Amino acid sequence: MAYANKTSRYKIPWWETGETSSGDSNEAAAHLIEWPLEVINRAVADDDCNCTVRDGFAVSAGAGLSINVAAGIGQIEGLVIYSSSSTAKSGLTDNADNYIYLKKTATTETDRSFTVEISASGSGMSDAILIAKVSTSGGSVSAVDNDPPNRAPRIPASTPGIPTLRVVGAAGAEYSDPKAAIEDCNAGDIVLITAGTYNIASTITVPADNITIMGTSRYGCVLNFTAGDATNCLNLNGKDGISVSRLTIQAVSGHTGRLLDDGAGSNDVRLHDLYLSANNAPAIYFNSPGSRVSIDHCRIATASPDMMRFQNVSHLSITRCLLTCSATGASTYALMAQECPDLTVAHNRIEMTGAAPEKTLYFRECDRAELADNTIVVTNPVAAGIYVYLRAGSGDAHYYRAHHNTIVGAGDVGDG
């Protein structure tokens, strides 16, 4: 597969393409924010174009021989640059054509710095974006052309069929609020949330299919829901093709809503490298017909007796997660799955740390369910407690397969 940027470290991560990683670590590259813009770049330009402007950076006349360059976001040689405020630049040559560039000054992959440069040449530059031609006469700007020849492609902020990268950050980014960025999305858009804690007072509702929501690190990027009631946090709204990765989603004490809810049945959902944390809130709740839901490499910790619930979800996979439930008493379980055919729960560690949990894993009418290579730890089991409950129910359920699981209980192991 060819990429607009020629360096291997900016490959699209393997978990998005299905390709096998080779050379430099694609997983490490995924912690940067270059690759979504490469996707946009390829949608509107050929492989040799490595400088783009997504929106903003329009040039306007200033006082005398000066200009103002608006805020914007772009890419220079694979490096995403962005500015949240206008930049003033003086020193234009009088009675001449002046060409305005964004020039990269960054020296590291995580630096996003650039400068506005003025040149007498309108030819392309390998390390800069030509954004405008400014004419001067008699000591002032006489004309501004924001679309000169040889200028790098300018990608509109919102064009049907072309994905938009929406960057959320504390400073210098397009958005400061993840809710606004996500709810502004069209189908196929990408939301990148940079490091920081973002306080959110109401439900984030996903508005369209095929939206990717990604943070820069699981613990460094925190969506903190401040509503102390039953408000759900992230509502997938029945949309398909949703990916959420490298974020913490947490709620304040007393919050009883769900951290993540499917809304009305979502297909092709990927939850990867998340930390979901709440005191009394259920973490994940899918209760409508859907299929192909994958949850992997997540850490989930709540005190809700209804920690994760799935119903009518086919091809559900929960792998390599750490699940910790500190709820107490009857009807407490880490995972309930009902009428979920082709269910796989594998390579997880599941810890029940509350007093006398009734059930750890509860599977009912899950045809072709596999439970493999998990470690289940119950700190304070009750004599009548059940670690793994496999039930046919009133439906026709066959082929439960449980193997290579380790069950650890302190004291009375109950029914096991």
Side-chain angles (χ1 to χ4, degrees):
M1 179 182 291
Y3 295 94
N5 189 284
K6 304 304 182 185
T7 56
S8 62
R9 67 179 180 273
Y10 296 131
K11 283 183 180 178
I12 297 174
W14 60 267
W15 58 73
E16 296 292 342
T17 64
E19 296 179 351
T20 301
S21 175
S22 62
D24 293 335
S25 170
N26 285 343
E27 186 169 359
H31 288 276
L32 306 176
I33 66 174
E34 280 76 11
W35 69 265
L37 262 178
E38 288 192 352
V39 177
I40 299 170
N41 184 3
R42 286 179 51 78
V44 296
D46 60 35
D47 286 349
D48 294 326
C49 175
N50 59 7
C51 293
T52 59
V53 174
R54 210 261 294 162
D55 61 359
F57 294 128
V59 177
S60 59
L65 295 174
S66 68
I67 57 167
N68 297 310
V69 180
I73 183 170
Q75 173 183 293
I76 303 176
E77 289 191 318
L79 181 75
V80 173
I81 60 172
Y82 49 81
S83 172
S84 61
S85 59
S86 176
T87 300
K89 182 74 174 179
S90 59
L92 275 68
T93 302
D94 197 9
N95 301 311
D97 289 335
N98 298 260
Y99 293 88
I100 313 303
Y101 290 87
L102 302 177
K103 185 174 178 62
K104 181 177 68 175
T105 57
T107 57
T108 66
E109 296 169 1
T110 56
D111 189 359
R112 310 291 167 195
S113 62
F114 66 95
T115 58
V116 177
E117 301 290 340
I118 303 171
S119 172
S121 172
S123 59
M125 297 175 65
S126 62
D127 60 348
I129 305 176
L130 173 61
I131 56 172
K133 182 179 80 170
V134 177
S135 301
T136 59
S137 178
S140 64
V141 173
S142 57
V144 177
D145 180 4
N146 278 290
D147 192 19
N150 300 320
R151 185 179 63 71
R154 184 183 301 276
I155 303 174
S158 181
T159 300
I162 298 177
T164 292
L165 172 65
R166 303 177 188 274
V167 178
V168 181
E174 181 183 12
Y175 292 88
S176 60
D177 180 8
K179 175 179 170 69
I182 294 169
E183 294 185 350
D184 277 354
C185 282
N186 299 311
D189 284 357
I190 301 161
V191 176
L192 177 88
I193 305 172
T194 60
T197 297
Y198 302 87
N199 293 322
I200 301 168
S202 58
T203 301
I204 296 176
T205 302
V206 175
D209 294 338
N210 302 314
I211 290 175
T212 297
I213 303 166
M214 57 187 296
T216 51
S217 69
R218 175 164 67 176
Y219 298 115
C221 182
V222 180
L223 306 188
N224 181 48
F225 285 82
T226 60
D229 55 24
T231 301
N232 292 333
C233 297
L234 180 60
N235 178 13
L236 301 187
N237 197 27
K239 304 305 179 183
D240 299 334
I242 306 302
S243 175
V244 186
S245 62
R246 293 194 300 281
L247 292 169
T248 288
I249 301 176
Q250 65 184 30
V252 298
S253 177
H255 178 264
T256 57
R258 299 155 189 159
L259 296 183
L260 192 147
D261 189 285
D262 70 328
S266 295
N267 302 303
D268 298 304
V269 174
R270 175 89 189 280
L271 308 178
H272 168 76
D273 198 18
L274 299 175
Y275 177 34
L276 305 181
S277 174
N279 289 310
N280 302 305
I284 300 176
Y285 193 88
F286 280 65
N287 199 34
S288 302
S291 63
R292 297 177 301 280
V293 175
S294 173
I295 303 171
D296 66 279
H297 294 85
C298 293
R299 179 184 174 191
I300 302 172
T302 84
S304 170
D306 191 1
M307 185 174 180
M308 290 199 298
R309 180 195 291 264
F310 300 90
Q311 187 164 354
N312 298 311
V313 178
S314 62
H315 298 89
L316 169 64
S317 172
I318 302 170
T319 58
R320 302 190 184 282
C321 295
L322 171 60
L323 311 178
T324 304
C325 180
S326 58
T328 296
S331 300
T332 293
Y333 49 82
L335 168 63
M336 172 182 279
Q338 184 169 344
E339 298 178 80
C340 295
D342 298 297
L343 166 68
T344 299
V345 179
H347 302 286
N348 303 288
R349 182 177 176 89
I350 303 157
E351 300 177 349
M352 307 296 287
T353 61
E358 183 180 7
K359 300 177 181 70
T360 300
L361 301 179
Y362 185 122
F363 300 149
R364 178 172 178 174
E365 300 176 51
C366 295
D367 205 10
R368 300 176 302 280
E370 181 168 19
L371 179 69
D373 297 291
N374 300 284
T375 298
I376 301 170
V377 180
V378 180
T379 305
N380 299 293
V382 63
I386 299 173
Y387 293 95
V388 180
Y389 188 42
L390 309 178
R391 180 177 177 182
S394 59
D396 186 16
H398 302 286
Y399 309 119
Y400 282 111
R401 186 168 183 258
H403 60 92
H404 295 94
N405 299 286
T406 300
I407 297 177
V408 180
D412 192 328
V413 298
D415 292 341

